[in-house]
Amino acid sequence: MTDAPEVGELTPPDRTLMGPGPSDVHPRVLRAMSTPLVGHLDPSFVDIMQEVQELLRYTFRTDNEWTIPVSGTGSASMEAAIGNMVEPGETMLVPTNGYFGDRMASMARRAGGEVVTVDAPWGKPLDTAAVQDAFDEHQPDVFGFVHAETSTGVKQPNVPELTDIAHSHDAYVIADTVTSLGGVELEVDDWGIDVAYSGPQKCLSCPPGASPLTLNDRAMDKVLSREAEPRSWYLDISLLEGYWGDERAYHHTAPVTNVYALREALRLVAEEGIEERWDRHLHVAGALKAAAEAMGLGLNPDDEFWLPSLNAVLVPDGVDAGAAIDYLLEQYDLEIAGGLGALSGDIFRIGCMGHSARPQNVAFLATALGEALEAQGADVDVEAGLGAMRDALNR
Ligand SMILES: Cc1ncc(COP(=O)(O)O)c(C=O)c1O
């Protein structure tokens, strides 16, 4: 028998989170998480569930009845979307221009689907013509794209064009909105997106644990008329319907505290106004971008595809990205991240999401990053960067 371990009180460091997620959590969300637990079938919780669904519809800009938080992280809502929409033997078209397109491919294969790809380099969005060609060649049943690619800092433009192509081929569209929901313009209904999934820990500034998902009636009809059951029991939407639909019957024990948190995070979105929130992200992240550029640092994507919630700043020559990231964490308790995969060592990934998308965070970040780069002898003009940031914030 081992002795009882002696574990001290929990004292996590007080970080400022400006990496690819999680972002800083709003104090009101933390407070909501410390309110008393009720049962997941308690009548009071049923009201809370309805409120969360309404708030999610507002944030997704959809009237989809079937709009819920999936228990689990963003990968759970992602797997619920793909695992239910792709039936064995069906074909899913996925992008190759970032890390999360690969994850879509893995999930589609595990669902028994065939995977075909539409290619674009990391750091570029999908081109409409390339998507058209891929549809003509492969006739996929389902098309997935990443609206806000966290690995490259690229925002996919032309979404209505892509959904039109898919629908003219009778295919369904799944959008990854993990790093856009609540921070970057997203119009699920107007853009013709059939299924969108997201995560709470990015622009909603909520801890991970309950992840938004929405399906329109057309997608839901497909899910409910599948021949084969989805391979996951836990993420089977036809079973989740029993809990989140009118029946309110037990399926699994919902993460009550995470649902409270999401409710409060979404209430903050509704209070601010979704469009005002998109504008805030543009404004504050725009100041961060201005600071980086005036310092002499480039951004990886072209301006047209810049993603305000995730800024992919190029690492200047001679700088060790990992050492700069460590410097910020050690000296300032400030978290940013490096590049993934093909962009490893080439970019810093600086999040500007939700509660982290505030002028004081950007001012802090620009000052500390400038110092971290100067500490390595990089040729950066920190004063110019701070001046450009101030001008942009005052605009
Ligand atoms: C674009 C994108 N999709 C999916 C995910 C997966 O979400 P999670 O890590 O919460 O499971 C992430 C997480 O960073 C993401 O950025």
Side-chain angles (χ1 to χ4, degrees), residues 24-281:
D24 281 340
V25 174
H26 195 286
R28 266 176 52 185
V29 173
L30 290 175
R31 273 203 299 278
M33 295 185 83
S34 61
T35 53
L37 204 71
V38 295
H40 65 115
L41 293 171
D42 189 292
S44 67
F45 193 63
V46 171
D47 291 343
I48 290 171
M49 289 163 71
Q50 258 159 9
E51 289 163 353
V52 170
Q53 289 184 283
E54 276 169 31
L55 288 161
L56 277 177
R57 287 186 195 106
Y58 171 75
T59 308
F60 269 127
R61 301 273 258 200
T62 184
D63 291 328
N64 290 344
E65 190 188 336
W66 186 247
T67 303
I68 63 162
V70 174
S71 305
T73 70
S75 301
S77 60
M78 180 177 190
E79 196 144 31
I82 295 170
N84 283 271
M85 290 299 292
V86 177
E87 292 189 59
E90 287 190 341
T91 304
M92 180 165 178
L93 177 66
V94 302
T96 58
N97 60 339
Y99 182 88
F100 290 100
D102 285 352
R103 188 171 296 184
M104 281 186 166
S106 305
M107 288 181 177
R109 275 190 210 100
R110 282 169 188 239
E114 304 285 324
V115 170
V116 291
T117 58
V118 48
D119 299 327
W122 278 47
K124 299 270 183 231
L126 295 179
D127 182 57
T128 307
V131 172
Q132 179 72 60
D133 289 348
F135 263 95
D136 292 343
E137 186 182 348
H138 303 294
Q139 303 294 332
D141 303 285
V142 179
F143 166 52
F145 75 93
V146 182
H147 181 223
E149 194 23 281
T150 326
S151 62
T152 59
V154 168
K155 182 177 69 164
Q156 179 66 46
N158 63 352
V159 175
E161 289 173 22
L162 304 187
T163 58
D164 277 353
I165 295 170
H167 293 152
S168 69
H169 287 76
D170 273 339
Y172 296 83
V173 178
I174 301 179
D176 182 318
T177 65
V178 171
T179 296
S180 54
L181 182 70
V184 177
E185 185 184 8
L186 168 68
E187 303 277 1
V188 166
D189 285 0
D190 281 0
W191 293 354
I193 295 168
D194 298 300
V195 180
Y197 61 82
S198 190
Q201 75 275 21
K202 312 266 183 179
C203 301
L204 299 178
S205 275
C206 179
S211 297
L213 173 68
T214 187
L215 290 86
N216 63 16
D217 287 346
R218 179 168 170 262
M220 205 53 191
D221 286 349
K222 177 173 180 3
V223 166
L224 296 179
S225 57
R226 286 175 62 104
E227 278 176 25
E229 289 177 336
R231 293 189 176 174
S232 166
W233 176 89
Y234 188 63
L235 298 174
D236 181 340
I237 290 176
S238 71
L239 300 180
L240 294 176
E241 217 262 346
Y243 181 54
W244 286 96
D246 293 337
E247 217 182 319
R248 304 284 174 190
Y250 171 66
H251 173 258
H252 66 269
T253 309
V256 173
T257 303
N258 289 90
V259 176
Y260 291 170
L262 186 59
R263 179 182 179 280
E264 193 61 21
L266 293 169
R267 219 158 71 89
L268 284 160
V269 175
E271 279 173 22
E272 183 173 2
I274 186 72
E275 289 174 1
E276 288 74 10
R277 198 170 167 102
W278 297 337
D279 287 347
R280 169 166 62 87
H281 280 76

